[in-house]
Amino acid sequence: MNQYHHMTIRNTTGTTTHTSEKRKRGRLKIFLGYASGVGKTYSMIDDAHEKFRSGIDVVVGYVEPHATGETKDLLEGLPSIPMKTIKHGSQQVKEFDLDAALERKPEVLLVDELAHSNAPEMRNKKRYLDIEELLNAGIDVYTTLNIQNLESLNDVVQRITKVDVNETIPDYIFDSADTVEIIDFSPDELLKRFEEGKISRPVRSLNMIKFIFTKENLRLLREIAMRKAADRISHDNQSEKIVKDKIVSTKFLVYIDPSMSSSKSIRWAARAADAFHAPWVAVYVDNNGNDNEAEIQDNLDLAKRLGAEAVRLNGYQIAETLAEYARISGITNIVIGNIGRKSSLSKLWKTNIEEKLVTLLPNVEIHIIPELPRIRYRKQRKIKISENLIFTWADTGKTIAIMGAATLLSMGLGSLNTEDQTAIMLYILSVLIISRITDGYLYGIAASVLSVLLFNFFFTMPLYSFNVIQSGYPITFTIMFIAAFITSTLTVRIKTQIKLSAEREHRTKLLYEINKKFLVTRGLDNIVNLTNEYITKIFDRAAVFYTDDPNHTSAGYFMESMTDPYTSNLMEPEERAVAQWVYVNKKRAGAGTDTLKNAMAFYYPILSQGNILGVIGVSCVKGKLDQDNRQFLRMLASHAAMALERQRLSDEQRRILVDSEREKVRSNLLRAISRELRCPLNGIAKASTELLEKESVMDLYTKNHMIAAMGEDAKWLTRMVENLLSITKLNEGKTTIMKSPEWAIKVLEDALNHLKRRHPERKLVLEFPEEDFIVPMDRALIEQVLINIVENAILYSMDQDQVIIRAKLGAGFAVFEVQDQGKPIASEELSHVFDGCLYQDDQSVDGPKRVGSFGLAISMSIIKAHEGILEATNLNHGGVQFTFQLPLEEKHSV
């Protein structure tokens, strides 16, 4: 194998992309050759052995079973994943086991034959889709590829080898590879190996020596491979500024129609756009819907696989519609097949589309791609009536009735000795009416011919025969037919334009409505419901919207359609698995795609700046979505993505504001606690200092008094800490209030005694109720509430002011009131007085502030835990009254 020549090309751009992703993405290495037998698989396995010897976890996922003996021998020593056996018809087919590889998750995985088509029973239609899943899972992949398997080179290879290559991969897979290693081999040596039987058996069984394994063909394929490698090197070495300049100055457009030349035009445009590093767009113009939708869809899918933007336009005049779009989009190059050179007689009086484009766009380059005849597998095109030539019994009856009425009316007018021109005008008017009320061209053309025959039969001499005596009548018939035919044709075209205009107007109006609704919609649920509502309304299908990983059972929002049967099946585990695949891989899947195509719905990812925001699923029980519906779904998804991203940013901003407020409250809370603790701590510190310094001269009474004061302060601190812990547990729901029946007067007296010890100089007045009563409460906590409220009143009143404390019975409540004669609370602060820790910027921390205190915040938590009410009001004569009510479970009196 020493004849192999290796050239490695690394994608530095791809490396940067991978390292910037949140989740590590695997790296792809392609071993590229120009034909089977050049040694791609052998080189891949040989490289894997070097990695394995260096301690890297390398596993063989799939190697072509028909590999040559020396390749099989090289596999020894490498761990492998068993292949999956699939029953395909009456045969047993061995395929690469993707799920086993994802579960094993080695560092490097070998998967041969990148362009391989999987069995229909597999999850993905093509092997390159399997490899994309492996890369997304963070697994490095080694694989092999022949140059003729690139989609953009398909027609070039067909022209050289006269063989259609059915197994191809999109060019973006090749372009995104991190490393491409070209395995070069002399064509002479390759032919020698082929003759010696060293090429795998499937290649030999196809008798490919007649088509590919000729020296000339191998030389050309080798040249194509080298050029592709050179283009890749050139692309990587170009500066970013040069690429941007080229993108700004060049943009390609390729026109698509159902003809066989469209696929060739698409591939040519892809190669040209890649050479110029320019964007390109594939455009199809729907002018009456005459074209084969299946072929159009195939061509649009091909263009998208090659990296184009697919666009569908509506317009009767194809050239004018393309020209207008080209002007708006800044197109510099238009690629078009030789669609205007058909052999039908009707084309003799029509100008080719390319000729019209040259006239309409003098500054745009027009590239005409000739259509070469297919040598093998050529499809025979069937002759069929166009969709504008429609036969219905209803329209037939209308035509006969109108032409009969015109004939009878002409006969009636003829009896009044009117001229022949009257009958001619009536027949032309009849043709106009028939063209207006029937579908397509058929009845207008038939009416034109029939009007001439009826006029000849009933109104020219000799009557009731098709003979003509006067020499001028043939000219009259001809002019009459031409006038009727043109009138009919113009009427049908006007109808078509009206229909297309209505469709465009409806589409534009709907998009405007959608955009307007999304702009004013707030909230995740509202955005999702609006999206589902439009999907069910527009497509008349059930829809499901996942805003999180579909594996979570509560993640899906489902909306059904009355006309869509079995819609509840979209929430089945099998469908959730498809949506979860889309969520993880950020690619569409399901019905109508190449991945998990047996699903009941089409699933589309909602992306914003590369981040997955959700997955939309549209039921396909009634049939797969066509290109128009997919395009509209993509636009709807983009609107939903913007709305979801806006909602996410709004939620993030709200969270930041809440965190900021929370941090502010926490800071103020710490300051409030420090203030509440400072007084007793200062008292303890002062008393202890005096005891130490003046113990020898201090009498026993003073000493005992100071020790008692220190004990009271210590008890106050202990109670404060216990209350803080209790309130914290209450707020977190970790504990409950332990109520017991307590006499109201006893609670008031105990609280007052504590306050008098702490504030002996203040005037504290207790107004007893007429009769004592029992209140269910946590006594220690309610005493703390009374102490906190009274101390707040003391803090904001003068020394000579009195503080009044009272209790009374209400309707099912025990009412406690505390009045002071201090400064009123500002009206704008009344609603925040129990928030606690609300300080003004121009005030010191310890200065008097008539706002809430930490003690009031604690009191509010205690009263709420008792299912009571705490409020503050300003008194008319000055001062503030705090009132709290506690519910009475039963009333007792003495």
Side-chain angles (χ1 to χ4, degrees):
M1 304 296 291
N2 54 2
Q3 297 93 342
Y4 298 151
H5 302 283
H6 299 264
M7 180 168 62
T8 303
I9 307 168
R10 302 191 183 276
N11 189 345
T12 56
T13 305
T15 303
T16 304
T17 302
H18 295 315
T19 57
S20 65
E21 291 180 356
K22 293 181 180 180
R23 181 180 62 178
K24 181 180 179 296
R25 178 179 166 88
R27 299 172 62 83
L28 176 63
K29 182 174 183 178
I30 297 177
F31 292 82
L32 179 67
Y34 64 88
S36 298
V38 297
K40 304 182 297 299
T41 304
Y42 188 94
S43 300
M44 176 181 69
I45 300 172
D46 185 57
D47 195 340
H49 270 288
E50 294 184 8
K51 298 288 185 182
F52 187 73
R53 285 192 292 270
S54 63
I56 297 176
D57 183 17
V58 180
V59 174
V60 178
Y62 178 88
V63 170
E64 178 60 44
H66 303 287
T68 58
E70 53 190 7
T71 302
K72 288 183 177 180
D73 295 339
L74 193 61
L75 284 171
E76 294 182 3
L78 290 177
S80 63
I81 296 175
M83 286 189 284
K84 189 174 185 178
T85 303
I86 301 294
K87 186 176 182 181
H88 181 56
S90 59
Q91 298 180 345
Q92 298 287 336
V93 181
K94 291 188 178 295
E95 292 283 3
F96 167 58
D97 194 340
L98 174 61
D99 293 325
L102 291 172
E103 184 177 357
R104 171 68 170 76
K105 199 173 183 180
E107 293 182 67
V108 179
L109 185 69
L110 275 59
V111 184
D112 205 7
E113 298 292 336
L114 175 61
H116 173 73
S117 296
N118 293 330
E121 293 78 12
M122 298 293 289
R123 177 162 77 216
N124 294 317
K125 184 178 179 180
K126 303 287 288 187
R127 180 162 293 164
Y128 71 83
L129 297 173
D130 295 340
I131 289 179
E132 283 192 311
E133 285 197 49
L134 295 170
L135 296 175
N136 290 333
I139 302 173
D140 294 347
V141 178
Y142 286 4
T143 187
T144 61
L145 179 72
N146 284 329
I147 192 64
Q148 57 263 39
N149 296 120
L150 278 177
E151 183 65 62
S152 63
L153 299 175
N154 184 269
D155 58 331
V156 176
V157 173
Q158 189 273 334
R159 191 167 60 247
I160 294 174
T161 63
K162 306 301 185 291
V163 173
D164 284 332
V165 179
N166 296 321
E167 292 188 335
T168 59
I169 67 165
D171 283 42
Y172 78 86
I173 299 292
F174 178 84
D175 296 335
S176 63
D178 298 273
T179 306
V180 176
E181 186 167 317
I182 299 180
I183 311 302
D184 189 26
F185 202 76
S186 168
D188 294 331
E189 292 291 335
L190 183 59
L191 288 172
K192 183 179 178 181
R193 285 174 53 81
F194 185 87
E195 293 171 357
E196 293 174 353
K198 295 183 179 180
I199 308 295
S200 60
R201 289 193 300 274
V203 175
R204 295 186 58 82
S205 65
L206 293 174
N207 195 20
M208 299 298 286
I209 193 170
K210 180 180 178 182
F211 301 103
I212 292 181
F213 280 83
T214 65
K215 186 174 182 179
E216 181 64 19
N217 286 349
L218 292 175
R219 185 185 62 80
L220 292 174
L221 291 173
R222 185 187 189 194
E223 180 181 349
I224 292 172
M226 291 298 182
R227 285 187 177 182
K228 189 66 179 177
D231 289 342
R232 182 181 171 92
I233 294 174
S234 176
H235 180 271
D236 291 342
N237 289 339
Q238 287 188 27
S239 66
E240 184 179 356
K241 181 177 183 304
I242 295 176
V243 173
K244 286 184 177 179
D245 291 342
K246 289 188 175 184
I247 289 176
V248 170
S249 61
T250 306
K251 187 173 183 179
F252 283 82
L253 180 151
V254 56
Y255 172 66
I256 290 178
D257 77 329
S259 69
M260 297 168 66
S261 64
S262 284
S263 59
K264 184 178 179 182
S265 301
I266 291 169
R267 293 187 177 95
W268 190 94
R271 294 194 297 270
D274 183 64
F276 282 91
H277 311 299
W280 62 294
V281 58
V283 177
Y284 165 64
V285 180
D286 188 351
N287 64 331
N288 299 334
N290 297 332
D291 297 325
N292 188 321
E293 180 64 28
E295 294 183 3
I296 289 295
Q297 186 63 50
D298 290 342
N299 286 331
L300 288 173
D301 290 342
L302 173 62
K304 287 190 287 187
R305 287 201 304 271
L306 292 175
E309 176 188 0
V311 176
R312 292 177 77 111
L313 304 175
N314 289 325
Y316 185 79
Q317 298 293 339
I318 296 177
E320 285 76 359
T321 305
L322 284 175
E324 183 64 25
Y325 179 83
R327 293 190 192 97
I328 295 174
S329 304
I331 300 298
T332 60
N333 299 72
I334 294 180
V335 183
I336 191 169
N338 59 344
I339 59 175
R341 308 188 185 279
K342 307 299 181 184
S343 58
S344 62
L345 188 63
S346 62
K347 302 296 181 181
L348 297 177
W349 290 278
K350 290 187 177 180
T351 306
N352 294 329
I353 294 178
E354 53 267 35
E355 294 176 0
K356 291 183 180 180
L357 289 175
V358 170
T359 304
L360 295 170
L361 301 170
N363 297 324
V364 175
E365 295 183 6
I366 310 296
H367 306 269
I368 302 174
I369 309 301
E371 178 181 346
L372 295 178
R374 296 274 180 169
I375 294 184
R376 300 180 63 188
Y377 309 112
R378 180 176 179 180
K379 284 187 176 182
Q380 298 296 327
R381 301 183 66 84
K382 297 180 180 180
I383 300 175
K384 63 179 181 179
I385 299 177
S386 170
E387 293 184 10
N388 277 328
L389 299 178
I390 304 171
F391 176 84
T392 63
W393 287 111
D395 288 347
T396 302
K398 293 176 185 178
T399 302
I400 295 173
I402 293 174
M403 294 305 296
T407 302
L408 293 175
L409 183 58
S410 298
M411 287 180 176
L413 293 176
S415 64
L416 300 177
N417 297 322
T418 57
E419 298 292 335
D420 292 342
Q421 288 80 358
T422 303
I424 294 174
M425 296 304 296
L426 282 173
Y427 279 121
I428 292 177
L429 177 61
S430 301
V431 172
L432 178 62
I433 295 173
I434 290 170
S435 300
R436 176 67 183 87
I437 66 175
T438 59
D439 294 329
Y441 290 97
L442 178 61
Y443 292 98
I445 296 173
S448 301
V449 176
L450 188 59
S451 63
V452 174
L453 296 176
L454 290 174
F455 179 74
N456 182 19
F457 189 80
F458 289 104
F459 301 102
T460 60
M461 300 300 293
L463 296 176
Y464 312 118
S465 71
F466 293 104
N467 295 326
V468 178
I469 297 177
Q470 297 182 15
S471 59
Y473 273 119
I475 298 176
T476 302
F477 296 157
T478 304
I479 294 174
M480 180 179 174
F481 173 76
I482 293 174
F485 180 78
I486 293 175
T487 302
S488 171
T489 303
L490 291 177
T491 303
V492 173
R493 288 191 178 185
I494 291 172
K495 285 171 57 181
T496 303
Q497 289 291 351
I498 292 173
K499 179 182 177 182
L500 294 176
S501 298
E503 290 179 356
R504 286 195 295 267
E505 183 179 357
H506 174 69
R507 180 69 61 88
T508 303
K509 182 179 179 181
L510 198 57
L511 286 175
Y512 174 74
E513 179 186 343
I514 291 172
N515 184 51
K516 187 169 63 174
K517 286 284 186 68
F518 274 116
L519 285 175
V520 299
T521 302
R522 295 293 183 270
L524 177 63
D525 291 347
N526 294 330
I527 293 172
V528 171
N529 290 332
L530 180 63
T531 305
N532 283 346
E533 180 182 341
Y534 273 113
I535 291 175
T536 54
K537 176 183 176 182
I538 296 170
F539 304 131
D540 194 21
R541 301 166 184 258
V544 61
F545 196 129
Y546 294 97
T547 57
D548 201 351
D549 192 331
N551 277 342
H552 302 158
T553 56
S554 60
Y557 295 76
F558 175 71
M559 184 172 289
E560 62 183 5
S561 171
M562 297 299 295
T563 61
D564 196 352
Y566 311 112
T567 52
S568 59
N569 291 339
L570 292 185
M571 303 301 289
E572 294 295 326
E574 295 80 5
E575 294 297 313
R576 281 183 174 270
V578 181
Q580 203 272 339
W581 187 94
V582 174
Y583 188 86
V584 171
N585 292 277
K586 303 178 183 179
K587 293 184 178 182
R588 63 182 187 177
T593 68
D594 292 340
T595 302
L596 300 165
K597 53 184 177 293
N598 294 324
M600 295 181 61
F602 172 79
Y603 294 91
Y604 192 85
I606 306 294
L607 299 174
S608 176
Q609 299 179 355
N611 298 320
I612 185 75
L613 302 180
V615 176
I616 292 177
V618 181
S619 171
C620 291
V621 176
K622 297 168 60 176
K624 298 176 182 177
L625 296 177
D626 59 22
Q627 180 65 21
D628 277 340
N629 288 337
R630 289 191 186 184
Q631 185 76 7
F632 202 89
L633 181 63
R634 187 176 70 173
M635 290 187 287
L636 183 62
S638 66
H639 284 292
M642 288 188 290
L644 290 173
E645 181 68 14
R646 185 170 58 248
Q647 183 64 37
R648 187 189 66 81
L649 293 175
S650 176
D651 293 341
E652 182 70 15
Q653 184 179 14
R654 189 179 298 109
R655 187 191 62 79
I656 292 173
L657 290 175
V658 170
D659 289 345
S660 176
E661 289 297 324
R662 188 176 297 161
E663 180 63 24
K664 182 178 178 181
V665 170
R666 189 186 69 85
S667 176
N668 290 335
L669 176 64
L670 292 175
R671 287 188 290 181
I673 292 176
S674 66
R675 187 189 65 188
E676 296 288 340
L677 299 180
R678 186 177 301 171
C679 180
L681 287 175
N682 286 339
I684 293 173
K686 182 178 179 181
S688 61
T689 301
E690 290 185 2
L691 283 174
L692 291 174
E693 293 178 352
K694 302 178 181 180
E695 182 180 8
S696 58
V697 297
M698 189 177 298
D699 58 84
L700 182 61
Y701 174 79
T702 304
K703 184 184 298 184
N704 291 337
H705 178 74
M706 294 183 67
I707 292 173
M710 292 172 61
E712 287 295 325
D713 288 337
K715 290 179 181 179
W716 169 254
L717 289 174
T718 301
R719 178 175 289 186
M720 167 85 57
V721 173
E722 290 177 350
N723 287 339
L724 284 174
L725 293 175
S726 298
I727 297 306
T728 301
K729 293 179 180 179
L730 284 174
N731 291 337
E732 294 177 355
K734 295 181 179 179
T735 187
T736 57
I737 293 294
M738 302 298 295
K739 293 183 180 181
S740 61
E742 302 290 346
W743 293 102
I745 292 179
K746 181 62 176 173
V747 173
L748 291 175
E749 288 178 342
D750 289 348
L752 185 64
N753 291 334
H754 179 83
L755 288 166
K756 285 183 177 180
R757 286 195 299 269
R758 291 191 54 127
H759 307 281
E761 73 285 354
R762 295 305 302 263
K763 297 179 180 179
L764 304 178
V765 179
L766 178 60
E767 296 183 357
F768 293 100
E770 295 181 358
E771 59 176 350
D772 201 358
F773 52 90
I774 292 178
V775 185
M777 67 173 74
D778 187 317
R779 179 171 178 171
L781 292 178
I782 295 301
E783 286 184 7
Q784 183 64 41
V785 170
L786 289 168
I787 293 170
N788 290 343
I789 295 176
V790 173
E791 289 197 330
N792 181 79
I794 293 173
L795 179 65
Y796 294 114
S797 60
M798 305 297 293
D799 291 342
Q800 64 273 18
D801 295 335
Q802 65 179 5
V803 178
I804 301 174
I805 308 167
R806 66 171 68 94
K808 59 184 179 181
L809 282 175
F813 286 90
V815 182
F816 297 83
E817 297 177 349
V818 177
Q819 289 183 1
D820 65 57
Q821 297 175 338
K823 183 179 178 181
I825 300 175
S827 57
E828 63 271 13
E829 298 293 345
L830 271 174
S831 59
H832 302 289
V833 70
F834 297 106
D835 294 347
C837 319
L838 299 176
Y839 296 105
Q840 303 296 328
D841 293 338
D842 58 346
Q843 294 174 316
S844 67
V845 173
D846 299 318
K849 298 163 274 296
R850 194 62 202 218
V851 292
S853 68
F854 178 64
L856 293 182
I858 292 177
S859 300
M860 176 58 79
S861 298
I862 295 173
I863 297 302
K864 283 184 177 180
H866 280 78
E867 300 179 352
I869 300 173
L870 174 61
E871 57 186 5
T873 55
N874 289 320
L875 300 174
N876 295 330
H877 57 273
V880 179
Q881 175 175 299
F882 290 88
T883 304
F884 66 89
Q885 300 177 359
L886 299 178
L888 296 174
E889 295 178 354
E890 55 182 343
K891 184 176 179 181
H892 301 272
S893 61
V894 236

